Amino acid sequence: MIKDPPLLTIKRTFKRPSAALLARFKGAQTGHLVDAMEGRGALAHVIKPIDPERAHFVGAALTCETGPSDNLAILAALALAEPGDAIVVAGDAFTATAVVGDNVAMMAKNKGVTAIVIDGMARDKDGIVGVGLPLFAHGITPNSCVKTGPGTVGLPVVAGGVAVAPGDVVVGDRDGVVIVPAALAEHVAGQLDEIRRLEEEMQGKIRKGMTHPDAIAALLKSDRVRYVD
């Protein structure tokens, strides 16, 4: 670049979902949320909980973007975080160095952050597990990063192949992390009870011995299938 950018570009104010709306997502399975959004919304499959026993969370997205091997924007996000936020880090899927460790996890917990989600790496697994804060990443490496920037906080990012805007709803469990866009949050929350009912209905049939869905049985009897044997 001809001219160096600012070390940090920050948008401090954005609309967060209400506590009442976030509460409607508590305990929701990520798969059910994806079903409510036509099969999409999950971050890349490599982004998984460091501690599967501390995987469930709901939060309002506080976004930040870092360069490879840099965590200046993450530290700025910590300073600006509000209770109930989930810090979502777009880190270019860089895996040679970690951008978060147990100290960051402890500070995030002190701020009331519900989770940290990194499109990159973490370190200090034992310490992170001890903190008890849900933390999702590509994996663990002892290699450390720098704090030089540039980076952004509170602006739209792409993390794990999914567009994330500040104020989106972020939900995690053992399967991974799902982003519910703010514009869809009320609709998706309203679909959860019906999706859970349909899931239980299907599993009830399976427990009674069902071997394939009724729709497949009907399809196999229809003129939409040609048998060649």
Side-chain angles (χ1 to χ4, degrees), residues 190-226:
Q191 296 296 306
L192 285 175
D193 285 344
E194 177 65 6
I195 289 171
R196 292 184 184 113
R197 185 190 68 77
L198 292 172
E199 179 86 354
E200 179 56 33
E201 182 179 284
M202 172 65 78
Q203 292 190 356
K205 292 178 180 179
I206 294 170
R207 286 191 291 267
K208 292 178 181 179
M210 187 177 78
T211 60
H212 54 275
D214 296 339
I216 294 298
L219 173 64
L220 295 178
K221 294 177 182 178
S222 75
D223 60 4
R224 301 297 302 277
V225 175
R226 180 178 64 175

Side-chain angles (χ1 to χ4, degrees), residues 35 38 48 61 106 111 135 147 158 172 174 186 192 194 209 219 222:
D35 288 348
E38 300 182 355
K48 288 292 188 287
M106 283 189 281
K111 285 299 294 276
L135 195 152
K147 304 173 178 64
V158 175
R174 290 189 179 203
E186 285 283 356
L192 285 175
E194 177 65 6
L219 173 64
S222 75

Side-chain angles (χ1 to χ4, degrees), residues 88-146:
V88 179
V89 182
D92 290 339
F94 187 71
T95 57
T97 60
V99 293
V100 162
D102 54 359
N103 289 338
V104 170
M106 283 189 281
M107 289 187 286
K109 190 171 184 180
N110 289 343
K111 285 299 294 276
V113 168
T114 63
I116 301 175
V117 178
I118 311 163
D119 190 7
M121 302 290 280
R123 72 179 217 167
D124 309 321
K125 181 173 181 177
D126 287 347
I128 289 171
V129 171
V131 172
L133 179 77
L135 195 152
F136 290 67
H138 286 237
I140 295 288
T141 178
N143 290 336
S144 61
C145 65
V146 297

